[in-house]
């Protein structure tokens, strides 16, 4: 899954390790190894909702010598904190979640993680989507630093009550038919804003990222060369077209204002990877039954998806791997999907009736098991470079400056090129 703040206050440059302070590196995994059969404390660092609360209780009940400590934090901050502690040589958690946007950076430091192949993880390779397995595998193919949790196949979540009030269709098939392309999506948004006098989407950055995710090449190619004139330019132009048409509510993603927008109905549509279901449900529980899920314009794409890793600093690496291995088993992965929406990255589970037949009552009983499984199976994800994270933030900041009126649209692409280049060299 992915939950990040874009906009004016963002953590930057995970890879700019020279700028990272080594202060404050306490509070990670257990300091002492457990004695055989003795009490074990395992700390897990993550962000958002990995569905761990109930699973923690279940695992502890089955393993009474284990105490699990959940450390939930902000998306960028958790990745920065892990980087700091890897540099410092101590303080990392026993299990660290890493998002796909940062996995290339961390897998290039494979010597700082337990090689899960040494723990027997190779038996799971055939269970994973092939590209998901490779994303966390070192370049030489000898070290697997993490096992995948979810993938972020894309759809569009929309408010049926707001669509109905604006005279638009509400049935998911008819809504999907409104926008086979992003230009059609923008036309639909203009129709909505004209009739409702409300904004159509939450933020331009949440158009930019899914559109970019549909392009053959993102910010970087596999030689780590910045490629702004391909996918990023196409995504940027469509995003500014939507912003220029007055569709954006300009609510910084994952800010308090953005969360309030869900409650108040400040926007009617947002790009919706599977993991977004849990955020909407947790943020605006009173909107249950007012949401549905349609196809995304342009077809397919991926946005987010995570891995669980065991930093080599863990004093209880065997117990940490045992817990990690338990978390990726079908029973737990299905439970997480049904509770928070995170779609497993093991395709055999998509045919399990518990997922294939699952309809989400919060989203008007949309057949989300079928919808998101179909998007995941059709994915051909991009390569995400080592500096994908800070480059994304740099370009998002330019989009936000256009929305705020501090950068002229005509000057925005030149500014994006300048900021992306700066991020690539940081």
């Amino acid at each position: 899954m992915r939950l990040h703040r874009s906009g004016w206050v963002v953590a930057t440059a995970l890879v700019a390790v020279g700028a990272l302070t080594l202060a404050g590196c306490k509070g990670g995994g257990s300091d002492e190894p457990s004695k055989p059969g003795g009490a074990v404390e395992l700390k897990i660092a993550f962000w958002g909702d990995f569905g761990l609360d109930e699973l923690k209780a279940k695992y502890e009940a089955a393993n009474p010598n284990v105490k699990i400590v959940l450390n939930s934090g902000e998306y960028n901050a958790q990745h920065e904190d892990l980087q700091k502690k890897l540099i410092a040589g101590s303080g990392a958690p026993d299990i660290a979640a890493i998002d796909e946007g940062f996995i290339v950076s961390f897998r290039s430091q494979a010597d700082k993680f337990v090689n899960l192949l040494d723990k027997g993880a190779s038996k799971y390779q055939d269970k994973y989507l092939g590209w998901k397995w490779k994303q966390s595998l070192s370049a030489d193919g000898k070290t697997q630093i993490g096992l995948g949790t979810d993938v972020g196949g894309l759809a569009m979540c929309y408010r049926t009550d707001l669509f109905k009030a604006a005279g638009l269709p509400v049935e998911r098939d008819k809504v999907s038919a409104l926008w086979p392309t992003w230009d059609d999506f923008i036309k639909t948004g203009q129709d909505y804003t004209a009739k409702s006098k409300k904004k159509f989407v939450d933020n331009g950055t949440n158009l930019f990222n899914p559109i970019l995710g549909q392009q053959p090449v993102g910010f970087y190619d596999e030689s780590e060369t910045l490629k702004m004139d391909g996918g990023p330019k196409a995504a940027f132009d469509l995003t500014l077209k939507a912003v220029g048409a007055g569709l954006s509510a300009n609510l910084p993603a994952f800010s308090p204002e953005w969360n309030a927008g869900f409650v108040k109905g400040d926007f009617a549509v947002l790009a919706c990877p599977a993991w977004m279901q849990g955020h909407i449900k947790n943020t605006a529980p009173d909107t249950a039954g007012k949401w549905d899920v349609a196809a995304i314009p342009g077809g397919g794409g991926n946005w987010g998806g995570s891995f669980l890793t065991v930093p080599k600093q863990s004093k209880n690496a065997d117990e940490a791997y045992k817990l990690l291995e338990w978390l990726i088993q079908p029973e737990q992965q299905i439970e997480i999907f049904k509770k928070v929406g995170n779609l497993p990255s093991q395709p055999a589970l998509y045919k399990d009736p518990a997922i294939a037949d699952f309809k989400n009552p919060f989203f008007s009983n949309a057949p989300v098991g079928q919808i998101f499984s179909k998007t995941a199976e059709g994915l051909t994800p991009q390569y995400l470079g080592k500096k994908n994270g800070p480059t994304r933030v740099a370009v998002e900041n330019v989009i936000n400056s256009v929305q705020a009126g501090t950068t002229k649209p005509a000057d925005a692409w030149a500014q994006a090129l300048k900021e992306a280049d700066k991020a690539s060299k940081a």
Side-chain angles (χ1 to χ4, degrees), residues 128-402:
Y128 277 97
L129 292 162
W131 55 267
K132 184 75 175 181
W133 177 264
K134 290 179 182 176
Q135 280 185 321
S136 50
L137 192 65
S138 64
D140 62 7
K142 296 180 178 178
T143 303
Q144 179 54 271
I145 72 163
L147 293 180
T149 54
D150 62 311
V151 292
L154 284 167
M156 296 296 279
C157 292
Y158 66 99
R159 284 279 297 265
T160 55
D161 58 330
L162 300 181
F163 268 47
K164 184 177 182 180
L168 294 176
V170 297
E171 299 85 355
R172 61 183 72 96
D173 290 345
K174 292 181 180 178
V175 172
S176 298
L178 289 173
W179 50 53
T181 69
W182 284 105
D183 282 327
D184 293 324
F185 178 82
I186 292 170
K187 290 176 184 174
T188 302
Q190 290 174 302
D191 187 22
Y192 174 84
T193 56
K195 292 176 178 175
S196 69
K197 309 304 179 187
K198 293 183 176 181
K199 299 301 183 182
F200 192 50
V201 299
D202 55 328
N203 192 298
T205 61
N206 283 350
L207 290 179
F208 175 78
N209 283 305
I211 297 171
L212 180 60
Q214 294 177 335
Q215 309 305 312
V217 179
F219 287 119
Y220 294 90
D221 65 14
E222 295 195 21
S223 69
E224 297 291 339
T225 302
L226 185 63
K227 293 286 187 181
M228 289 293 288
D229 286 335
K233 181 68 163 61
F236 195 88
D237 286 349
L238 279 167
T239 299
L240 259 58
K241 185 176 181 180
V243 170
L247 306 191
S248 173
N250 190 19
L251 301 172
F254 304 102
S255 68
E257 296 82 5
W258 188 69
N259 289 337
F262 282 101
V263 176
K264 296 187 295 182
D266 289 341
F267 50 88
V269 181
L270 82 163
C272 201
W275 50 260
M276 190 69 82
Q277 297 175 83
H279 184 80
I280 297 173
K281 183 179 177 181
N282 293 335
T283 302
D286 290 342
T287 61
K290 296 180 179 178
W291 291 90
D292 208 326
V293 184
I296 192 166
N302 189 62
W303 185 12
S306 303
F307 304 83
L308 296 177
T309 68
V310 180
K312 201 171 278 186
Q313 296 171 18
S314 173
K315 301 296 192 298
N316 295 295
D318 287 343
E319 288 290 346
Y321 179 71
K322 181 181 173 184
L323 170 57
L324 190 163
E325 189 175 31
W326 181 80
L327 287 170
I328 59 103
Q329 298 305 311
E331 181 179 354
Q332 282 67 250
Q333 289 293 295
I334 290 170
E335 182 174 339
I336 291 169
F337 174 72
K338 296 177 76 170
K339 181 177 183 294
V340 301
N342 299 351
L343 184 71
S345 45
Q346 302 174 45
L349 300 185
Y350 304 158
K351 295 179 174 58
D352 189 304
I355 287 181
D357 299 339
F358 181 68
K359 297 180 180 179
N360 193 330
F362 190 91
F363 290 85
S364 304
N365 286 317
V368 294
Q370 295 180 22
I371 291 171
F372 289 110
S373 294
K374 184 178 179 181
T375 63
E377 288 179 317
L379 283 177
T380 306
Q382 302 165 345
Y383 174 77
L384 300 175
K386 295 178 182 177
K387 298 187 179 181
N388 179 79
T391 306
R392 169 183 53 77
V393 170
V395 176
E396 286 178 345
N397 282 344
V398 176
I399 293 170
N400 280 322
S401 72
V402 173

Side-chain angles (χ1 to χ4, degrees), residues 43-178:
K43 296 182 179 179
I44 307 177
F46 61 101
W47 61 93
D49 194 345
F50 276 65
L52 295 176
D53 290 340
E54 287 78 7
L55 294 177
K56 169 184 182 297
K58 186 183 292 187
Y59 190 84
E60 288 177 338
N63 300 272
N65 65 318
V66 176
K67 177 185 177 184
I68 298 172
V69 178
L70 300 180
N71 173 20
S72 178
E74 195 270 337
Y75 171 81
N76 280 315
Q78 288 289 50
H79 289 94
E80 286 192 349
D81 192 58
L82 175 60
Q83 182 65 77
K84 288 179 186 177
K85 287 165 179 169
L86 293 182
I87 294 172
S90 65
D94 298 289
I95 296 177
I98 298 175
D99 183 73
E100 60 144 14
F102 292 98
I103 194 65
V104 175
S105 176
F106 281 110
R107 81 180 187 197
S108 68
Q109 306 168 67
D111 61 322
K112 293 181 173 59
F113 293 87
V114 171
N115 184 356
L116 302 186
L117 300 178
D118 293 340
K119 301 293 183 183
S122 59
K123 66 184 178 185
Y124 295 113
Q125 179 173 353
D126 292 342
K127 296 184 182 297
Y128 277 97
L129 292 162
W131 55 267
K132 184 75 175 181
W133 177 264
K134 290 179 182 176
Q135 280 185 321
S136 50
L137 192 65
S138 64
D140 62 7
K142 296 180 178 178
T143 303
Q144 179 54 271
I145 72 163
L147 293 180
T149 54
D150 62 311
V151 292
L154 284 167
M156 296 296 279
C157 292
Y158 66 99
R159 284 279 297 265
T160 55
D161 58 330
L162 300 181
F163 268 47
K164 184 177 182 180
L168 294 176
V170 297
E171 299 85 355
R172 61 183 72 96
D173 290 345
K174 292 181 180 178
V175 172
S176 298
L178 289 173

